Every structure is written in structure tokens, then in C-alpha cells.
Amino acid sequence: MTPSEEHLAFYHEIGMTVTQWASVEQALWWIVSCCFDKQSAATSAVGFYAIENFRSKIQFTGRVFRQTHTKTSDIKRWEAIALRAQSVATDRNKIVHQSVMVFTESSPGRQYALIPTYSRPTKRKSRNGKLLPPPGSLCVRDICKIRYRMFALHVTLHNFYDHLRGEPELFPVHLEAEKPPQTLSELRTQTRVLSMSLHAAPVEKS
């Protein structure tokens, strides 16, 4: 993977991850909507989306859910989802709060990184003196892994929503499991395809 390819892949993964998170929050709202009738659901949406902190959204959803659903298996399923969502939320916070730094001397796949807020990368060097990302940094494959975690969580929430409505669950259950991130080779191929499609796209005249 060349530095240019990594640059494109890095920011592409960040953008895809942020977008995927929006799907997670939407699916969480669907769970809330199952706790109200159609008329009240629209009103409760205002309150749900007024909550800025995601963990507070999880707590709100849990309290409403337990008020309206008493089946033990459903409650246990929700509790497992809630714990998982809180874990993924920690990764989401890293994506949006850590800053970008470029490490031109690092190996491919680790030249662009989201570094921890309080780290000092200038003091973290390898044995041969090269400047490397500090511990806790997120590079392109780390971000890809987080995106896959978010997708799996979205699938899990969506299937639970279908279950609560008494409908067949849309996604196969195996998609609820988190999968490993793409390899650098796969990311490189994806980036090249994306780059070619961008260059091939016609320029619209204003």
C-alpha cells in the first residue's frame, strides 16, 4: 500500500465508520419505538434524539423497554445488546475525538493514525530511531475493525426490532457476529477501485 493509497483508505474508513454509527443510533431508536403506540412514538422520538450522550440514550432505552416488556428472554437479549453497545460507543468516541497525525517513517498501514488525546508521539520512537504511532493509536485496519463492530451491532439491533414486532428477522444471525478487519491487500484493492471510479466519473458542468 502506497502512502497515497493509505491516505485515501484512512479517510474513507473514517467516513464510513461515522456513517455506520448513524445507523446504530437509528436502530436503537427503533427499539424505543416498539415501546409506544404509533401516535406516542413520534412524540417520544423528540425526547430520544434530544439526548446527546449515547450512554444516556442506552439508559433511556433500557428503562422504557423494561416498563413495556416483561418477557425474561427479551430482557436478557436487550441487556446483552446494551453491554455490547456501550463497548462499541467507546470505540466511536475514539474515532471522533482523537486527532490525526502522519508517520511517514512507519510501515504501510500505520503511516496515518488517530492518536490518543494526551499522547506525545514525538517521544515514542522505535529502536532504529523512526517515529512511530504511540500506543492506543488507531490506524486504517483498526478503524475498519471498528466499522465492522458497528455494522454487527446495527444488524443485532435490527433483528431484535423485528423480533419485538413479531416479524421474521431480516439479517442472518451470523451477521450479528463481529468479523476481523480487511487485510492491507484487501484495503489496497478497495482503494484502487474507489480511486478509478472517481477518475472515471464524468465532470458535471454547472
Side-chain angles (χ1 to χ4, degrees):
M1 175 177 280
T2 67
S4 295
E5 290 170 341
E6 184 172 342
H7 177 266
L8 181 57
F10 180 79
Y11 284 103
H12 179 256
E13 284 298 324
I14 290 176
M16 292 285 287
T17 303
V18 171
T19 302
Q20 187 63 66
W21 182 253
S23 298
V24 169
E25 291 207 354
Q26 182 185 48
L28 184 63
W29 152 243
W30 291 342
I31 304 301
V32 173
S33 71
C34 289
C35 303
F36 298 91
D37 56 37
K38 290 184 178 180
Q39 184 176 2
S40 300
T43 303
S44 64
V46 177
F48 177 83
Y49 282 106
I51 302 171
E52 296 185 4
N53 183 279
F54 182 75
R55 285 184 171 80
S56 296
K57 281 187 170 77
I58 289 287
Q59 292 174 354
F60 173 81
T61 304
R63 289 170 182 168
V64 171
F65 182 79
R66 291 183 182 87
Q67 288 290 328
T68 55
H69 293 78
T70 57
K71 191 174 179 180
T72 302
S73 59
D74 288 345
I75 292 175
K76 288 184 176 180
R77 188 171 175 181
W78 161 251
E79 289 175 347
I81 292 173
L83 287 174
R84 185 172 170 184
Q86 290 174 9
S87 174
V88 177
T90 299
D91 285 339
R92 175 264 179 195
N93 289 340
K94 294 176 183 177
I95 294 290
V96 300
H97 293 300
Q98 294 188 184
S99 57
V100 177
M101 183 164 282
V102 182
F103 298 86
T104 57
E105 298 177 311
S106 190
S107 58
R110 297 193 63 78
Q111 295 191 354
Y112 285 79
L114 289 169
I115 64 171
T117 305
Y118 300 108
S119 63
R120 294 185 177 182
T122 54
K123 295 186 178 181
R124 302 296 300 187
K125 295 186 177 182
S126 64
R127 293 179 180 178
N128 58 11
K130 292 183 178 180
L131 189 65
L132 302 176
S137 296
L138 299 176
C139 298
V140 62
R141 294 190 70 232
D142 303 311
I143 299 169
C144 180
K145 181 178 180 179
I146 291 173
R147 176 166 65 87
Y148 282 174
R149 291 194 73 198
M150 290 180 181
F151 173 75
L153 176 59
H154 169 257
V155 168
T156 303
L157 285 165
H158 198 301
N159 280 349
F160 189 45
Y161 170 66
D162 289 337
H163 166 75
L164 293 176
R165 294 189 302 161
E167 297 186 1
E169 298 183 8
L170 178 64
F171 295 99
V173 68
H174 71 85
L175 291 181
E176 295 184 13
E178 298 173 6
K179 65 177 184 178
Q182 291 176 289
T183 64
L184 281 184
S185 178
E186 291 170 334
L187 286 168
R188 182 177 63 245
T189 300
Q190 174 182 278
T191 301
R192 289 177 178 177
V193 171
L194 177 62
S195 180
M196 287 187 293
S197 66
L198 290 174
H199 284 92
V203 178
E204 296 184 3
K205 296 182 179 180
S206 57

